[in-house]
Amino acid sequence: MITVAGVVDAVGAALLKIVVAADAAEVRDVALAEPDESAIGQRGDLVLGAGVGTPEQALAVIERCAEAGAAGLVLKPPLASHPDVTSSVAARNLALIELQRHGSWTQLVWLLRGVIDRVAAPGSPGTADAGVYDELFALADAAAAIVDAPVTIEDARSRVLAYSSRQDRTDPARVSTIVGRRVPGDVVAHFRSRGVFRKLAKSSDPIFVPQSPDGTLPRLVIPIRAGGELLGSIWAVVEGPVPDERLHDLQRPAATLALHLLRLRVQADAARRVSADRLRAALLAPAAMGQELGLPTGPWRVVALGMHGGAGDTVHNLALWESITRRHGWRQPLIADIGDVLFAVVAHHGDFPGSWPWLERLIHSVAVHDRALRAASGSVAADLANLPRSRAEAAELLALHRSAREGGPLLRFEDVWADVVVHRVVTTVTRDDLMVGGPLPDLLAHDRTHGTDYVATVAAWLEQQGDPKQAARQLHVHPNTLRYRLRRLAEVVHIDLESPRTRLALQIQLAALRSDTATAT
């Protein structure tokens, strides 16, 4: 399933914008609206108002879209923002989308078809239709024939998407680029030093790079843009400057290439979005959709992924964790956001990218360089029905990461379950309800008035099970200082540290204090 918002996100803001939002209806197909037709589309269709030219026509189309149960209507400005049009779609709970002025209806139909077809049979997330790549290689050959030179087509990250069959004029940089399917770092640095990437980012004009003293042959670089956004580039190994007439002839394949690159991105984004939606559904409620998710063989663990102090927004953190896991071999990471928390589902057994042992090692190794990374694992989920429980445990543990006794970037539910139990106790009632009596309220007041550390002393003694040396080490004081404090605080309040029930009550009260302090910060 993909919603209207999902379609708009997949195609991108360069072409589409939601003017009036509606309920999350499923988009099943695309239909063209003709003002004189008695019926328009079917339930779930995204209707394109290509033939709608007046507000009156738009209102008639809106009425028929509502009768058919369409998911939304696409119009161009100024109709998309006309007050009568916007109020009419809002009254009928119909989504209204604006196609930017420069957008082509033909291109939009092509892109929407790619998105919807991809959702209907998503296959592997992040992959695209093989036919698109075949067309890219054909475009590379066409561009090579025009400039009479070998050509590669690269995306905006210098990854090679296609290359011409002719590669007779070459140098070491070109060979390593094609063999590795991406531009090597030293080659990128070479062209960056010559200002090529700076020009690519700012201009749509062809860039000629003369031959270098190190033997790197001349290059002609053609930026590929859509809606002002750089999608990729054509790189040709030329003998010298290319005549203007040939550059003009390159405009047609370049325009077609822009559409293909946009389609590749749209298909990959749509597939990834569908996979994330299904993963969310499985994590929120028991669902018999393991095969559709492409889960490895169970049992599984759900791992909450975050940053220390909540650094960065959810979108930034999702991109960061996807980049980390993909870079280390997990080609199709099962990661989805629920609320403001990211969750990954990994196989509990095995030792491969996407397994729990692999993720443990990865988090510890990456955290050496990025100390902000945090992760927390729920307990093992033996079947799909237990995924929501493991998710809830992971989220709870990630929230406790600051106050949990175990250090390090990764916490396991099995290791710190006691902290979770205490946290659940102190969060079920208010702090005032827990501070009903006993010595702790008086010790708190004494510390505030006299600047003593009696509360911290009691806490350390309890945590170290009455061992004065360990408690003193925790407080960074001499054991004799600890013993002195214990004698002095016994003069302030009556405290029976020999009673197990008293010790339990004091630990719960101290946990409530720590919880309030963590919440305040």
Side-chain angles (χ1 to χ4, degrees):
M1 170 180 170
I2 188 167
T3 63
V4 170
V7 169
V8 173
D9 287 343
V11 174
L15 284 180
L16 296 181
K17 178 181 72 173
I18 294 180
V19 179
V20 178
D23 292 341
E26 178 182 2
V27 177
R28 300 176 181 174
D29 208 342
V30 180
L32 292 173
E34 295 294 339
D36 55 351
E37 289 182 352
S38 58
I40 296 177
Q42 301 177 10
R43 178 168 296 278
D45 280 358
L46 186 60
V47 178
L48 310 184
V52 180
T54 66
E56 292 74 23
Q57 291 177 338
L59 293 175
V61 169
I62 291 168
E63 187 68 35
R64 292 197 286 274
C65 286
E67 292 173 357
L73 173 64
V74 183
L75 295 173
K76 274 198 169 186
L79 283 179
S81 57
H82 192 284
D84 292 343
V85 173
T86 56
S87 60
S88 179
V89 294
R92 290 164 176 77
N93 194 32
L94 185 70
L96 178 62
I97 302 98
E98 179 182 86
L99 172 63
Q100 303 294 344
R101 292 181 184 275
H102 65 270
S104 162
W105 289 107
T106 302
Q107 293 178 355
L108 180 62
V109 171
W110 190 62
L111 288 171
L112 290 175
R113 175 61 54 209
V115 172
I116 295 170
D117 289 349
R118 190 68 184 158
V119 169
S124 298
T127 62
D129 186 356
V132 179
Y133 283 106
D134 291 340
E135 293 165 2
L136 288 179
F137 278 91
L139 285 170
D141 283 336
I146 292 172
V147 296
D148 190 25
V151 160
T152 57
I153 296 174
E154 301 171 11
D155 66 8
R157 297 183 180 180
S158 297
R159 293 177 298 195
V160 177
L161 301 176
Y163 49 87
S164 61
S165 54
R166 171 188 170 181
Q167 294 292 331
D168 56 308
R169 187 183 305 125
T170 187
D171 53 21
R174 171 54 57 94
V175 173
S176 58
T177 294
I178 293 179
V179 171
R181 294 304 297 270
R182 70 172 300 120
V183 182
D186 58 338
V187 178
V188 171
H190 167 77
F191 286 111
R192 180 174 286 118
S193 67
R194 310 199 71 177
V196 175
F197 292 101
R198 184 170 61 253
K199 294 175 183 177
L200 270 175
K202 296 181 178 180
S203 173
S204 298
D205 297 331
I207 303 166
F208 176 72
V209 186
Q211 182 169 343
S212 300
D214 63 1
T216 302
L217 297 176
R219 296 291 198 277
L220 174 67
V221 187
I222 309 293
I224 305 300
R225 280 186 153 77
E229 179 183 0
L230 181 67
L231 300 177
S233 52
I234 299 173
W235 291 67
V237 180
V238 294
E239 294 180 343
V242 177
D244 289 343
E245 61 270 17
R246 291 193 180 183
L247 293 177
H248 183 269
D249 291 340
L250 270 176
Q251 291 180 355
R252 184 179 297 276
T256 305
L257 178 59
L259 206 54
H260 279 72
L261 295 181
L262 192 58
R263 182 179 176 186
L264 282 175
R265 189 180 68 180
V266 162
Q267 289 179 339
D269 287 348
R272 191 178 300 113
R273 188 172 292 106
V274 170
S275 176
D277 287 343
R278 289 175 173 169
L279 185 57
R280 287 188 200 97
L283 291 175
L284 288 170
M289 54 193 322
Q291 295 301 319
E292 296 180 15
L293 278 172
L295 288 176
T297 303
W300 308 277
R301 281 182 182 270
V302 181
V303 184
L305 307 171
M307 303 287 287
H308 180 63
D313 57 22
T314 304
V315 174
H316 168 81
N317 290 341
L318 176 59
L320 175 65
W321 280 103
E322 282 194 341
S323 174
I324 291 172
T325 53
R326 287 180 188 276
R327 191 167 64 247
H328 289 83
W330 199 5
R331 296 183 59 189
Q332 299 168 17
L334 292 169
I335 302 176
D337 59 299
I338 299 178
D340 58 353
V341 180
L342 302 181
F343 296 97
V345 178
V346 295
H348 177 57
H349 298 302
D351 194 5
F352 51 87
S355 67
W356 169 241
W358 170 85
L359 185 60
E360 273 192 301
R361 289 197 306 273
L362 172 61
I363 291 172
H364 284 292
S365 64
V366 174
V368 171
H369 307 286
D370 189 346
R371 298 181 181 275
L373 293 182
R374 293 290 185 271
S377 165
S379 55
V380 177
D383 51 41
L384 286 172
N386 282 311
L387 284 178
R389 172 190 52 74
S390 185
R391 175 196 62 81
E393 292 170 350
E396 185 177 12
L397 200 55
L398 187 66
L400 289 173
H401 210 304
R402 285 186 186 177
S403 58
R405 296 178 186 175
E406 299 293 332
L410 175 63
L411 297 181
R412 292 195 316 164
F413 191 83
E414 299 94 314
D415 297 332
V416 290
W417 64 269
D419 295 86
V420 175
V421 170
V422 173
H423 177 259
R424 290 178 181 179
V425 170
V426 300
T427 54
T428 53
V429 292
T430 65
R431 178 188 140 173
D432 291 341
D433 289 333
L434 290 173
M435 296 296 179
V436 292
L440 201 58
D442 292 336
L443 287 178
L444 281 169
H446 191 278
D447 281 352
R448 284 194 295 267
T449 304
H450 299 88
T452 52
D453 291 312
Y454 291 160
V455 172
T457 301
V458 171
W461 192 90
L462 290 170
E463 288 181 12
Q464 300 303 329
Q465 303 179 52
D467 186 328
K469 292 184 179 180
Q470 293 296 329
R473 186 176 292 110
Q474 179 175 324
L475 293 171
H476 305 290
V477 298
H478 194 277
N480 289 339
T481 303
L482 177 85
R483 296 186 182 96
Y484 174 76
R485 287 183 184 177
L486 289 172
R487 289 196 301 269
R488 293 291 296 170
L489 70 87
E491 298 173 3
V492 176
V493 297
H494 173 68
I495 183 168
D496 182 9
L497 293 178
E498 298 299 321
S499 167
R501 189 175 295 273
T502 298
R503 294 197 299 270
L504 175 61
L506 285 170
Q507 287 175 312
I508 292 174
Q509 288 180 325
L510 288 166
L513 288 177
R514 286 193 296 268
S515 178
D516 276 3
T517 302
T519 302
T521 55

